[in-house]
Amino acid sequence: MSTDTRWLDQAVDAALHGPAVDPNPRVGCLVVAADGTVVGRGHHQGAGSPHAEAVALAAAGDRARGATAYVTLEPCNHHGRTGPCTHALRDAGVERVVFAVPDPTPQAAGGADWLRDHGIAVEQHPHRDAEALVADWTVAARLGRPVVVWKAATTLDGRVAAADGSSRWITSAEARADAHLLRARVGAVVVGTGTALRDDPSLTARTAEGELLPDQPLRVVVGRRDLPADARLRTGPGELLHLRTSEPRQVLAELARRGVHRVLLEGGPTLAAAFWRAGCVDEVLVYLAPALLGAGPAGVGDLGIASIEDVARLDLVDVTRVGPDLRLTLVPQAPPRERGARSTPSVGHARPAPPTTTDQRTLAPSPTP
């Protein structure tokens, strides 16, 4: 392992102390003196707070002069809520900067070039863990909208409820706990008014014991129908956003404006089909129960597919056992623009790993991101 990789490992460890869900990416910085002593360490603590470089430089003080800064993300070169990190690095006397991931945003990119132009040695050193930290943020920046994960819980015959409409519970307690961990790792959970009215969900992220997890997603209802005054969605923690539209791109544009990078699409079948037809599904996560219903609503509505020649194919990238159920992680084979989007490229596998619980056996390994 190279020395640069070892220091970037520590920068990634610092970044992990930042909030998992935030409009800004998680970033870590390590300032290392010429003799190999770590003189400063910092991480970004959330939107509006000092960037990781500023925190590390403040800790280093005068010892930053002549040092090397290791940063998980290319230092920003713009004036936002805080000043440019490039200027702070120069003013502190840092002689060398090593970063892992280029900044993909037009307003903040170019930091590496600016530093070089001002006499500072700069190197990009790719680092898989650093890339995974900001995967959603970088992909969302490229897409111009949040990454969308469509989550469903079905029987073997693809039913999400029985013929009488009852659906609690198709999957096991272990699978439900796993899904709650997933909610805690996204910026927003989205359902249609049909699901909200039929199931009266809370859309909170909870432990297996029912305790609220520290990170709660924005809860989003899509559709024009009103919610009852006593709906559970109105009483849960965090913000409830009711978007009175059924157009997926309008929904995602509003969520992007709010700084959301990853969306969990939970239901129902009509809403899922609308997002698919619009080319706005980047990943599919299915909890598959070893059960049969034989009748009842299917997991997805009309996808506009009339012939087997037009069947929607997906790549299976992970199979994990969760209690008695299976969690399948898939990505569409066709790029989103071939499924209705005008200019959206495929996300591929640029995303963090699915949530994990203590009762799982991996049946097939995930591919390398």
Side-chain angles (χ1 to χ4, degrees):
M1 179 186 295
S2 71
T3 301
D4 286 344
T5 299
R6 181 162 55 90
W7 292 131
L8 281 173
D9 284 345
Q10 293 196 36
V12 169
D13 289 342
L16 289 171
H17 289 87
V21 178
D22 190 74
N24 292 341
R26 287 197 283 184
V27 180
C29 178
L30 208 69
V31 180
V32 181
D35 64 358
T37 303
V38 177
V39 295
R41 188 188 310 265
H43 67 274
H44 184 48
Q45 299 180 21
S49 66
H51 288 190
E53 296 94 322
V55 175
L57 291 171
D62 292 339
R63 296 175 295 174
R65 191 160 302 278
T68 297
Y70 292 88
V71 195
T72 55
L73 182 67
E74 179 184 8
C76 69
N77 192 40
H78 81 301
H79 290 269
R81 296 185 185 181
T82 59
C85 292
T86 50
H87 293 206
L89 291 163
R90 178 202 59 184
D91 295 345
V94 168
E95 288 190 356
R96 179 172 175 252
V97 173
V98 178
F99 71 95
V101 182
D103 193 310
T105 59
Q107 67 272 23
D113 290 339
W114 190 94
L115 289 168
R116 290 189 187 101
D117 290 343
H118 288 78
I120 297 174
V122 181
E123 299 174 33
Q124 182 189 352
H125 190 98
H127 191 287
R128 286 184 57 188
D129 291 343
E131 292 167 1
L133 269 176
V134 295
D136 287 339
W137 182 77
T138 55
V139 172
R142 178 161 54 86
L143 291 174
R145 60 163 176 81
V147 175
V148 176
V149 180
W150 166 28
K151 190 220 90 176
T154 76
T155 59
L156 286 175
D157 51 345
R159 308 294 177 177
V160 293
D164 65 357
S166 59
S167 61
R168 296 183 178 177
W169 298 103
I170 285 177
T171 53
S172 64
E174 294 92 335
R176 297 195 299 275
D178 194 69
H180 277 279
L181 292 178
L182 184 67
R183 284 181 181 174
R185 297 183 181 184
V186 300
V189 177
V190 179
V191 298
T193 50
T195 296
L197 294 170
R198 181 182 64 251
D199 296 343
D200 191 25
S202 62
L203 300 185
T204 53
R206 303 183 297 277
T207 66
E209 295 73 31
E211 298 294 326
L212 291 172
L213 291 167
D215 296 315
Q216 293 293 323
L218 172 66
R219 297 168 301 150
V220 183
V221 178
V222 174
R224 294 180 174 82
R225 287 183 286 179
D226 291 329
L227 297 179
D230 60 350
R232 294 172 67 191
L233 281 167
R234 295 188 181 278
T235 60
E239 184 182 357
L240 169 64
L241 176 63
H242 189 172
L243 298 176
R244 295 180 183 273
T245 177
S246 297
E247 213 293 308
R249 293 194 172 276
Q250 291 181 7
V251 173
L252 294 177
E254 175 58 26
L255 295 180
R257 189 185 70 79
R258 291 170 174 259
V260 173
H261 309 309
R262 190 172 182 85
V263 169
L264 186 63
L265 187 64
E266 289 211 13
T270 301
L271 187 66
F275 271 73
W276 182 277
R277 291 196 306 269
C280 294
V281 173
D282 306 300
E283 181 180 322
V284 180
L285 195 68
V286 180
Y287 291 91
L288 189 62
L292 296 168
L293 281 171
V300 64
D302 181 12
L303 297 179
I305 299 172
S307 169
I308 192 64
E309 295 179 354
D310 299 322
V311 64
R313 302 284 184 186
L314 299 96
D315 288 326
L316 180 63
V317 298
D318 183 76
V319 182
T320 299
R321 183 165 178 170
V322 186
D325 305 315
L326 294 181
R327 186 186 67 213
L328 311 180
T329 305
L330 311 100
V331 293
Q333 288 184 357
R337 61 171 161 269
E338 296 179 18
R339 293 182 279 114
R342 295 179 181 175
S343 60
T344 302
S346 177
V347 174
H349 305 314
R351 61 185 184 284
T356 58
T357 64
T358 56
D359 183 20
Q360 295 181 353
R361 288 190 291 115
T362 299
L363 306 184
S366 298
T368 300

